[in-house]
Amino acid sequence: LKLGACVDLLSGLVHVIIGREVKEKCCPVIQGVAGLDAALCLCTTIRAKLLNINLILPIALEALLGCGKSVPPGFRCPPPQ
Protein backbone atom coordinates (compact mmCIF):
# COMPACT_ATOMS: atom_id res chain seq x y z
CA LEU A 1 0.00 0.00 0.00
CA LYS A 2 1.54 3.26 -1.13
CA LEU A 3 -0.10 5.11 1.76
CA GLY A 4 2.31 3.28 4.06
CA ALA A 5 5.19 5.37 2.70
CA CYS A 6 3.09 8.49 3.13
CA VAL A 7 2.34 7.58 6.76
CA ASP A 8 6.03 6.84 7.40
CA LEU A 9 6.84 10.32 6.12
CA LEU A 10 4.10 11.91 8.23
CA SER A 11 5.26 10.12 11.39
CA GLY A 12 8.72 11.62 10.93
CA LEU A 13 7.27 15.12 10.80
CA VAL A 14 5.41 15.19 14.10
CA HIS A 15 7.13 18.39 15.23
CA VAL A 16 7.67 19.90 11.80
CA ILE A 17 5.30 21.96 9.70
CA ILE A 18 3.87 19.96 6.79
CA GLY A 19 6.20 20.75 3.94
CA ARG A 20 6.89 20.23 0.29
CA GLU A 21 8.16 16.66 0.67
CA VAL A 22 4.87 15.50 2.17
CA LYS A 23 2.92 17.20 -0.60
CA GLU A 24 5.11 15.68 -3.30
CA LYS A 25 4.90 12.14 -1.91
CA CYS A 26 1.41 11.97 -0.44
CA CYS A 27 -0.76 14.04 -2.79
CA PRO A 28 -0.18 11.81 -5.85
CA VAL A 29 -1.08 8.74 -3.75
CA ILE A 30 -4.49 10.13 -2.75
CA GLN A 31 -5.26 11.89 -6.02
CA GLY A 32 -8.65 10.84 -7.33
CA VAL A 33 -9.81 9.63 -3.91
CA ALA A 34 -12.54 11.49 -2.04
CA GLY A 35 -11.35 13.31 1.09
CA LEU A 36 -13.32 11.12 3.49
CA ASP A 37 -12.14 7.91 1.79
CA ALA A 38 -8.54 9.13 1.90
CA ALA A 39 -8.89 9.96 5.61
CA LEU A 40 -10.37 6.54 6.39
CA CYS A 41 -7.59 4.87 4.42
CA LEU A 42 -4.99 6.87 6.35
CA CYS A 43 -6.65 5.79 9.62
CA THR A 44 -6.39 2.15 8.59
CA THR A 45 -2.79 2.52 7.43
CA ILE A 46 -1.71 4.34 10.59
CA ARG A 47 -3.35 1.67 12.75
CA ALA A 48 -1.77 -1.14 10.71
CA LYS A 49 1.68 0.36 11.11
CA LEU A 50 1.15 0.54 14.89
CA LEU A 51 1.74 4.27 15.06
CA ASN A 52 0.08 6.48 17.62
CA ILE A 53 -3.07 7.36 15.70
CA ASN A 54 -3.95 10.23 18.06
CA LEU A 55 -0.60 11.86 17.39
CA ILE A 56 -0.26 11.28 13.65
CA LEU A 57 -3.85 11.79 12.50
CA PRO A 58 -3.95 15.60 12.87
CA ILE A 59 -0.80 15.79 10.76
CA ALA A 60 -2.27 13.39 8.20
CA LEU A 61 -5.48 15.44 7.99
CA GLU A 62 -3.44 18.63 7.55
CA ALA A 63 -1.62 16.92 4.68
CA LEU A 64 -4.98 15.96 3.13
CA LEU A 65 -6.07 19.60 3.29
CA GLY A 66 -2.78 20.59 1.65
CA CYS A 67 -3.64 18.21 -1.19
CA GLY A 68 -7.02 19.88 -1.73
CA LYS A 69 -9.02 17.20 0.10
CA SER A 70 -11.59 17.89 2.79
CA VAL A 71 -13.04 15.81 5.57
CA PRO A 72 -16.18 16.42 7.61
CA PRO A 73 -15.69 18.75 10.60
CA GLY A 74 -14.83 16.80 13.74
CA PHE A 75 -13.76 13.71 11.78
CA ARG A 76 -12.39 10.91 13.96
CA CYS A 77 -11.01 7.59 12.90
CA PRO A 78 -13.47 4.77 13.48
CA PRO A 79 -12.57 2.55 16.44
CA PRO A 80 -10.72 -0.67 15.62
CA GLN A 81 -12.93 -3.69 15.12
Side-chain angles (χ1 to χ4, degrees):
L1 214 148
K2 289 182 181 181
L3 272 177
C6 183
V7 170
D8 287 342
L9 183 63
L10 291 170
S11 67
L13 297 176
V14 172
H15 295 104
V16 180
I17 295 173
I18 297 299
R20 182 182 212 170
E21 188 176 3
V22 171
K23 220 171 185 181
E24 288 173 358
K25 291 190 179 186
C26 295
C27 290
V29 173
I30 60 172
Q31 201 169 31
V33 178
L36 180 59
D37 289 339
L40 289 171
C41 194
L42 277 172
C43 289
T44 303
T45 305
I46 291 168
R47 195 172 285 117
K49 291 181 121 342
L50 303 176
L51 297 173
N52 184 337
I53 197 162
N54 295 324
L55 187 62
I56 304 300
L57 186 63
I59 296 169
L61 293 179
E62 185 177 334
L64 285 178
L65 293 174
C67 295
K69 303 292 180 184
S70 62
V71 294
F75 172 81
R76 292 188 177 274
C77 284
Q81 296 183 12

